[in-house]
Every structure is written in structure tokens, then in C-alpha cells.
Amino acid sequence: MKARFLGVAALAVTTMLTSQVPASAQETLTIASWGGAYQKAQREAWFDVVEKELGIKIKEDTTSGIADVRAQVASGSPTWDLVQQGGYSCPILQNEGIVEKLSPEILAIKGIPEEMKGEAWIGNIAYATVIAWNAEKYGDKAPASWADFWDTKNFPGPRSLRRSPVYTLESALLADGVEIDKLYPLDVDRAFKKLEEIKDDVAVWWSSGAQSAQLLKDGEVDMVAIWNGRADAIANEGAPVKLTYEQEMILADCWVVPKGAKNKELAMKAIEIMSRPDVQARLPMIINYGPVNQDAFEFIPKEVAEKLPNSPANSKNSFVLDNNWWAQNLDEVTKRFDLFIQE
């Protein structure tokens, strides 16, 4: 009887001591993102803030895209708690049911456009597909619309478009006179008909951001549909490149929590912190990506905001790419697009 009492007492003491160990000493959150300078900026702007506020340790890994998330979940024991994904991959993963639904607190965050979030994903950065060109070739005669991109008489020279129907179909419809607020659902037949007009002038269908920038920098093309950050980068290096935010397509990457993530609740808290306007505003101070939370612009200096595609000044004649439409139609339209550029 005495031995049993001592055993119970020892268990109680052990339990009490264990409960007194700070939970933060045990808690680690693993985040996978794109790596490189971008992830380094995320660490400084966001991850350090999350660690301090939650009293946890963030471990980092890198992802190359949607297949990685599928593999993590298929393993039955994901090692990632939070993952960044690009654009339409976010609703695709949601539709496949392999990412966790977000907490009500995240979905209630103000300042983030409805087009940049879903039940199981929420945007974290904003950038844009824009028109950029060789300033030496066109001088003061600057293109200001996708109709100008298609106008090879007044703006002669080789072009480059993305080797994907995403962005490319939108640009074709805008060039054909479709109004921005009436783009979706996309008129696919009309878009391909318009693409026929410029197909012979597309010298290269680019397949990476680096390639699109190099084509313009080397003078291989005179005009290109390009991510704004890529155009800015080569312009800052001294290339004679200009861009316009007119009719820009605003894009958003997102956060997702893989189904079965070990630290799901902690991941949700991290997303909440990184979605706050004051925290969102930290990233553009380090790297040229805009905040998805529009309220963040209250914390961003004017000289920085001027270079962000989704700032109030630059986004007056823009639209947010409809990730949900592409999640539903990507496979079918991509097959048609691949045949189109091979013909």
C-alpha cells in the first residue's frame, strides 16, 4: 500500500514538473517556401516576428511546387506545417482536399481581397504580370495596353509570352477589347482566335521568370509579358527596360497547411501574425513584393509603395487573376494551348 502511494506521488510530481516546462521549448514550426533571396527576406520580415510572438522555433525547408505538397500528404506523416504555393495551385490543393481548412480568425482578417483567399488558403504576397519593353527601341512611344502589345505596326519587333495559357489568355482578351471587369469566365475560343493574330510575332514562349527577363535584357525580344519584379531587376542592372502597370494582372502566392500537419494550430497562429497589416508591410521594405493586405500600405513609405504593383496608385486599372477559374479549367485549357503553340 505504501509503495503504491509513493508511486502515485512520484507520478504526480513528475506530471507537475513536466507541466511547468515552457511549451515554447517543445514547439517547432516547419515552414517550406521558395528559398533564395525571397525566403531570406521572409525570415527577416515575418519568421523572426512569429518566433518572438509565439515563443517558438521556426525550421525552414524549400518547395518546388504543388507536387511536393501532394507527396507530403501522401506519406501519411507530413514534415511540413506550413507551405507557400503559387496562385492557382492554392485552390487546386483545396479542391483535392489535401490541405487543412483555415481557422475562422484567419478568414476574418480585414484588408485581404476575397479573390486572394479560400477556405483552405490565403494570399501572402502580391506581384503582377505586366508589359515591359526595350526603351531604346520605342523611345518616347511607350505601349500602354495589351492592344499595343498586339499592335505590331506601331510597335514592331519580336514578342515573348508565357508558355502557358495562364496570363496569356487574359492578355489576348484584353487586347481584343474585353473590359477588365468582364474577363471572367474567360471566353477561351475568343482568346485563341486573338492569339492567332500575334502567334508569328512571338519569338519565344518563355517558361521561367529568369528566361523572360534574359530575353529582354539580351535584346532577343522587344516586348514581353513579364513579372514586374523580373523587369525591375534588369532595369536596376542598367538594361534599357521600361514597364507599365496599365492593365496589369495582379497575382498572389498563398499559405496552405498540409492535411495532417503535426502543428496545425501553431501554423494557423503563424498565418494570423504574418497576415496582419503591420507585419505584411515589413516584406516590401526588403524585397519587391507587395502585401496582400491592402491595409499594409498605411505602414509602407510612399517611395516604396510607388514600386509595388498593387499599391493604390499603380492598381487603378488592374485586376486580380481568378485562381478559382484556373483551378477548374487549367488541365483542359493547357492541352489546347500546347497544341496551339506546336501547330
Side-chain angles (χ1 to χ4, degrees), residues 75-92:
S75 73
S77 183
T79 58
W80 296 342
D81 301 307
L82 186 56
V83 190
Q84 176 153 344
Q85 287 293 288
Y88 45 84
S89 294
C90 310
I92 288 176

Side-chain angles (χ1 to χ4, degrees), residues 102 106 112 116-118 120-124 253-255 271 275:
L102 300 180
I106 294 173
I112 300 179
M116 294 186 177
K117 58 186 175 182
W121 63 277
I122 191 164
N124 59 3
D253 276 12
C254 75
W255 290 124
I271 294 174
S275 299

